[in-house]
Amino acid sequence: MCLSQTKLSKVDKRGIILEYAESLAEGESKIFGIIDMSGIRLFGEIERSVNTKETPTLEGAEVRMVACGISVGRPYYRFKLIDRKIKRR
Amino acid sequence: MQKVQLGKCCQLFELRRVAICYYSTSKFRKRSNSSLFELACEACVDILAKSQISQTEIDAVLVSSSTQEPYTSSIVSEMLGIRPSISQRIESLCNSGTNAIISAYSHIISGLCDSALVVGVEKSESPGNVLTWDITRGSFAFPIHWASMFAKAHMRKFGTTEEQMAMVSVKNHRNAVNNPAALFRKAVTLEGVMESKKIVPPIKVLDCSAICEGASAVLIMSEDKVKSFGIEDPVWITGVGMETRSASFAAVAADLSASESVRNAAKKAFRMSGKKPRDIDVAEVHDAFTILEIMAYEDLGFVEKGKGGRFVDNCEIAFNPRGGILGSGHPVGATGIAQVAEVAAQIQGKACKRQVKDCENGLVQNLAAAGTSATVMIMNK
């Protein structure tokens, strides 16, 4: 039971990267970011195919959620870059 | 009595005055064999010994901790030989300590009690170190993940540099050298911070605070008690502000370069105290990561938004004289109490080698979980 505004709705799998970073922590070398999907914001991994040296900025780029689930008791969300053009800042 | 404006109301309220009278912070350590309760009692016993106040004079015992141990405040009370009317544990992650002090303050101004012993305590393996409850964070459950987002947003929007963030670490580690309770008592250089291991760029090892264990306690009292015990140098709590925006990172404002909760808590605290940022002589602000201190300068109103980076080594206010969280370590439930203890010591002129000159007005700012909640307190002579 929840008194917050909660509803189920079908949302586009596409979202915009609000901010991202690259974790160099041992055992967790990943690019991750906060993604806005129609107002829902999630922290997720951005697929490794992105070369951050060639693409100096990803903020505002468009991504698509390609996987989500639960692994070792934690939820995970994975995104793939689909458009490097800046959509929103 | 203190006449104050509360919240958005224009009416003046007369409130009982409440003061920090005694405080004690134990040595913060990486790990020890002491139990959580032994750590808590160490700081409290020191206060009872210093104050010579009998256990029967203490009406409330509040414990601030993220521990999973049940019934902590009653256990601590029994170990200390106190039978309080009010016994509570307060948990709000990193913000627990300041929350607990404001709860005790509220009990006293309401007349429910006249004196409260507030102790913050944490062991290194605290569940408060990982943000596992927030499913919007996915597999990125450590605070460094959101801190890197804040740092990148601030750098992109305002041109804040990695060197400016590193200067926060240099300053706070330098201050911690003079703090016998600090976890780290070794100065670091700008080069040392810049060359430290990158974890989530731009955040490096020396941009981060370290989890540790420790305890800190304060004894707070009503004005009547202060007078009856003849306490000569009480430090009055004259402004408090709190704000909880959400629990999940997803609900934090889209602008990752500012903390709305800190801004709003500061507005409330300054309004209640009648003070302005320019009146503050000393401040303990939440610096679990260097970028957070820069954001605190701005969100508390000490400097214009975006200019925090240039403010680090160019301000007249003493920020984090005990070494902040970066230098002192971060025993989650004890942090807020240790911040308040330091500002009280500074205002009393009892901060030894760390003493800031002519200290009359102090501020404490604390926050939890990416600034989803924040507390600001203003204290005066």
Side-chain angles (χ1 to χ4, degrees), chain B residues 137-152:
Chain B
R137 293 170 203 256
S139 53
F140 301 95
F142 287 95
I144 194 168
H145 293 123
W146 57 256
S148 64
M149 301 281 112
F150 282 158
K152 285 200 74 178

Side-chain angles (χ1 to χ4, degrees), chain A residues 22-32 48, chain B residues 139-142 144-145 199-200:
Chain A
E22 185 170 7
S23 173
L24 304 177
E26 242 169 82
E28 193 215 54
S29 180
K30 288 173 181 170
I31 297 171
F32 66 97
R48 238 340 184 176
Chain B
S139 53
F140 301 95
F142 287 95
I144 194 168
H145 293 123
I199 308 176
V200 184

Side-chain angles (χ1 to χ4, degrees), chain B residues 6-47:
Chain B
L6 296 172
K8 288 174 185 164
C9 186
C10 293
Q11 194 185 330
L12 277 174
F13 293 88
E14 258 195 311
L15 300 180
R16 297 174 94 194
R17 293 213 297 166
V18 178
I20 309 282
C21 297
Y22 295 96
Y23 43 82
S24 175
T25 300
S26 63
K27 169 80 181 153
F28 290 179
R29 293 166 284 211
K30 261 287 166 205
R31 214 161 248 109
S32 77
N33 291 327
S34 301
S35 72
L36 181 94
F37 301 108
E38 287 166 332
L39 286 174
C41 286
E42 189 186 333
C44 296
V45 166
D46 187 44
I47 283 186

Side-chain angles (χ1 to χ4, degrees), chain B residues 176-204:
Chain B
V177 171
N178 291 322
N179 179 4
L183 177 66
F184 301 113
R185 299 195 64 194
K186 201 174 165 190
V188 297
T189 62
L190 183 62
E191 296 71 33
V193 180
M194 293 298 290
E195 286 165 15
S196 65
K197 189 178 174 186
K198 289 180 178 175
I199 308 176
V200 184
I203 296 185
K204 308 166 195 72

